[in-house]
Amino acid sequence: MSQSLVIIGGGIAGLAAGCYAKMNGFDVEIHEMHNLPGGLCTAWKRQGYTFDLCVDWLCGSSAGTSLYPVWEELGMVQGRTFQDPEYYTVAIHRNGERFTVWADPDRLREEMLRIAPEDRKFIERFISDIRKLMRIDMPVDPGFWDLIKIIPSLGLFRHYAVPVSELAGKIRNPALRDLFISALDWHDQSAFFVMMMIAFMARKAAGYPVGGSVPIAKAIEARFLSLGGAIRYRSKVREIIVEDDRASGVVLEDGTRVPADIVLSAADGFSTLFSWIPEKYVTDEIRGYYRDLKPFPPLVFVSVGVAGGYAGIPRSVSIPLREPVMIAGMQVSRLTLMNHAHDPTLAPPGKAVLSLMIEADYAYWEKIPYQTEAYREEKDRIGKQVLNTLQDFYPEIRDKVEVMDIATPHTFVRYTGNWRGSYEGWLSTRDSMNLTLPQALPGLRSFYMAGQWVAPGGGLPGAALSARKAVQLICKAEGRRFVTTKP
Ligand SMILES: Cc1cc2nc3c(=O)[nH]c(=O)nc-3n(C[C@H](O)[C@H](O)[C@H](O)COP(=O)(O)OP(=O)(O)OC[C@H]3O[C@@H](n4cnc5c(N)ncnc54)[C@H](O)[C@@H]3O)c2cc1C
């Protein structure tokens, strides 16, 4: 009987897989190349400010959702304070018109009708469909009746599989059309995905955990350690040992061999499949996904620490630029700004953190080697451009900026190893929204995968659920009944 399990990656998927494997009696060791848990679910400190990369909302943050017991099993929600955002985001039009995407469907309906009374038909249907989505939950261990329950949503699934920009083509009022796209388009993902988010928020089930990303990652790490798991930091895996078509351990960067009965990779999908195991085990189906599916783009992630409360700046706002500008090889005509002032733990009293996610072109960054003079100059240039634009729009922050930090696609690769700097794995598009990628390979025994690269759409729920599923598969192969516990 297999007993020892080695997990590659201490992101949310690796930690969650570790917890479930411990609950089911395995000896588990996680190898994480960074010096802290969480992977992309992370933050860093600069001059008293905490610059948080990840969590804006946690789907399943409230009891009554199917995900909540999963977060309880992982020890992530107990004793935590969640803030339920009143709105998803705000978009501002060049003409000054402002569109708030309220979480409450009644308020959202009024807001849309105020801007575009002539689009009543589209608006009524959109709102009514969000209400329908509020009744749908993410099936965790889908049984027959769970599948029956989602049948009514299949029509919505098909109708809203289109990108937001295509759906917006049905809006007649030009200002609402523009604002709808600016507020809701997310790298051309299916409108269904964004509507699901609004529906979760409307149910008060996509809260923001006060304290941000690191405390939730540390909570799962603590749960894993309390279950008796072991985690090795600064331990980078370079290869998976395969003997007789069976994964039997890993080789670390320094050459150390770590034998194990089972190997689970919760790290980057591309490295796992195309660098760490012999390619002969990768099926044509999987090759096709890596050829045809679209990953989330890499980002330039700008964080700014400012002296002042800035209660007037929404927690998320899409602002139009007076003129499009080239930022790191990409033409940018809008910036999405996040104001983290709602979380007082992230900044010293009276101060606030603002951040911006700017889509980047990986090919552009590949030509600028990491940590060179050219790299520093590029970051300086971006910093100045972003500050000028922000100060144009919000003059009150002029002269108040105390510290600025810029993470580039190189930073994402260095600290998380994600393929081409992608920040969330695969986009959820018409082609991928109902897909899950294989978590085991037909010719390779004792090998499993979890994390955002097997769960299109990415996110913390996808990471945790794919980890749970991987351990279910392991238990099935080992003839064990899968069990869970709560702390
Ligand atoms: C800007 C941003 C905002 C986001 N907002 C949200 C949000 O509000 N809500 C939400 O649900 N999700 C959000 N996400 C997405 C979410 O953070 C990710 O989808 C999720 O954390 C992915 O977890 P993972 O464990 O699958 O992968 P990762 O976090 O990438 O973890 C993989 C781990 O493997 C380690 N690793 C890689 N290679 C090796 C190696 N060779 N040896 C050892 N270890 C290795 C890495 O260091 C990393 O720790 C956001 C992400 C970003 C970047």
Side-chain angles (χ1 to χ4, degrees):
M1 194 158 98
S2 302
Q3 187 55 32
S4 58
L5 167 66
V6 69
I7 295 177
I8 311 170
I12 298 304
L15 294 167
C19 291
Y20 285 116
K22 283 306 302 172
M23 290 175 212
N24 285 280
F26 292 92
D27 299 329
V28 188
E29 188 169 271
I30 296 177
H31 288 263
E32 165 54 51
M33 66 177 184
H34 199 7
N35 59 2
L36 74 170
L40 289 163
C41 185
T42 197
W44 49 95
K45 288 198 190 291
R46 296 283 183 275
Q47 297 180 29
Y49 292 92
T50 301
F51 292 151
D52 198 291
L53 178 68
C54 171
V55 72
D56 300 311
W57 48 67
L58 179 72
C59 285
S61 61
S62 61
T65 56
S66 59
L67 272 168
Y68 190 76
V70 174
W71 300 133
E72 282 185 308
E73 288 160 3
L74 298 174
M76 197 157 121
V77 283
Q78 292 89 334
R80 199 162 305 285
T81 305
F82 285 93
Q83 296 171 341
D84 287 304
E86 273 195 282
Y87 55 87
Y88 175 76
T89 192
V90 173
I92 297 174
H93 197 271
R94 278 184 307 279
N95 67 12
E97 181 68 89
R98 203 181 150 102
F99 172 38
T100 303
V101 183
W102 296 105
D104 172 19
D106 289 332
R107 281 181 96 175
L108 179 56
R109 176 178 169 276
E110 269 168 46
E111 178 77 342
M112 292 174 81
L113 284 172
R114 176 185 68 72
I115 301 169
E118 69 271 41
D119 281 304
R120 177 174 291 276
K121 198 165 158 225
F122 173 87
I123 295 168
E124 297 291 3
R125 173 152 191 203
F126 183 69
I127 298 296
S128 144
D129 289 342
I130 286 183
R131 287 188 206 285
K132 286 183 195 150
L133 293 177
M134 287 170 68
R135 295 195 285 273
I136 296 174
D137 225 338
M138 246 180 234
V140 170
D141 294 317
F144 177 74
W145 290 111
D146 298 295
L147 296 175
I148 295 286
K149 269 191 242 159
I150 60 172
I151 287 177
S153 62
L154 294 181
L156 294 180
F157 201 70
R158 268 193 301 274
H159 185 73
Y160 292 109
V162 295
V164 168
S165 50
E166 200 175 317
L167 180 66
K170 297 183 178 161
I171 300 174
R172 284 184 292 164
N173 179 297
L176 182 64
R177 195 184 317 126
D178 191 32
L179 287 165
F180 190 85
I181 296 172
S182 305
L184 302 178
D185 184 42
W186 190 10
H187 316 302
D188 267 354
Q189 288 197 103
S190 294
F192 186 86
F193 195 75
V194 185
M195 289 169 73
M196 236 5 235
M197 271 313 309
I198 300 172
F200 261 99
M201 280 186 184
R203 293 168 66 192
K204 300 203 183 307
Y208 167 79
V210 174
S213 301
V214 171
I216 58 176
K218 288 215 160 147
I220 311 187
E221 182 207 38
R223 170 79 169 129
F224 174 62
L225 295 175
S226 75
L227 285 161
I231 182 156
R232 310 273 172 248
Y233 289 110
R234 294 198 176 88
S235 183
K236 187 170 182 178
V237 169
R238 73 157 193 237
E239 191 186 325
I240 293 172
I241 304 168
V242 175
E243 292 159 335
D244 300 329
D245 296 329
R246 180 182 199 102
S248 56
V250 294
V251 183
L252 306 180
E253 189 130 273
D254 65 4
T256 308
R257 290 171 79 85
V258 182
D261 299 328
I262 306 168
V263 176
L264 189 158
S265 177
D268 172 51
F270 188 86
S271 312
T272 303
L273 294 164
F274 299 102
S275 298
W276 300 344
I277 57 166
E279 269 206 54
K280 65 174 181 182
Y281 296 112
V282 183
T283 60
D284 287 345
E285 178 201 354
I286 295 177
R287 274 176 215 285
Y289 294 142
Y290 279 81
R291 190 188 53 232
D292 301 332
L293 295 183
K294 275 174 76 181
F296 276 83
L299 295 178
V300 169
F301 188 85
V302 182
S303 308
V304 191
V306 278
Y310 305 108
I313 302 179
R315 61 191 287 161
S316 160
V317 56
S318 164
I319 52 180
L321 308 194
R322 248 189 273 154
E323 297 289 337
V325 287
M326 290 301 284
I327 300 185
M330 298 279 283
Q331 175 156 317
V332 177
S333 51
R334 283 190 162 267
L335 284 176
T336 299
L337 175 69
M338 312 283 291
N339 178 2
H340 302 263
H342 57 87
D343 185 347
T345 69
L346 301 185
K351 301 185 178 185
V353 172
L354 306 176
S355 67
L356 300 103
M357 283 168 59
I358 305 169
E359 198 172 316
D361 172 12
Y362 194 71
Y364 180 89
W365 285 94
E366 268 184 315
K367 289 189 213 120
I368 310 177
Y370 192 38
Q371 300 299 31
T372 55
E373 198 47 41
Y375 179 76
R376 280 184 282 276
E377 279 170 14
E378 186 66 45
K379 290 210 327 178
D380 272 359
R381 195 165 28 247
I382 294 172
K384 285 185 189 124
Q385 279 173 313
V386 167
L387 273 191
N388 284 341
T389 315
L390 273 187
Q391 290 171 355
D392 248 13
F393 213 84
Y394 293 112
E396 67 268 34
I397 68 167
R398 201 176 295 278
D399 307 323
K400 298 282 173 58
V401 173
E402 295 192 329
V403 53
M404 190 172 197
D405 178 272
I406 299 176
T408 72
H410 286 306
T411 324
F412 282 77
V413 173
R414 173 168 175 206
Y415 287 101
T416 71
N418 276 295
W419 186 39
R420 298 175 72 81
S422 167
Y423 75 96
E424 221 172 307
W426 303 114
L427 288 170
S428 177
T429 62
R430 207 190 320 232
D431 296 332
S432 65
M433 63 193 281
N434 53 0
L435 264 185
T436 47
L437 271 66
Q439 291 187 247
L441 299 176
L444 182 60
R445 284 170 294 145
S446 303
F447 168 77
Y448 298 88
M449 289 178 74
Q452 59 181 10
W453 292 100
V454 296
L460 303 172
L465 291 181
S466 65
R468 202 170 183 278
K469 178 82 187 153
V471 177
Q472 285 171 334
L473 292 174
I474 295 173
C475 286
K476 193 167 174 210
E478 295 299 320
R480 299 188 192 192
R481 195 171 67 85
F482 175 77
V483 293
T484 62
T485 58
K486 288 183 185 168

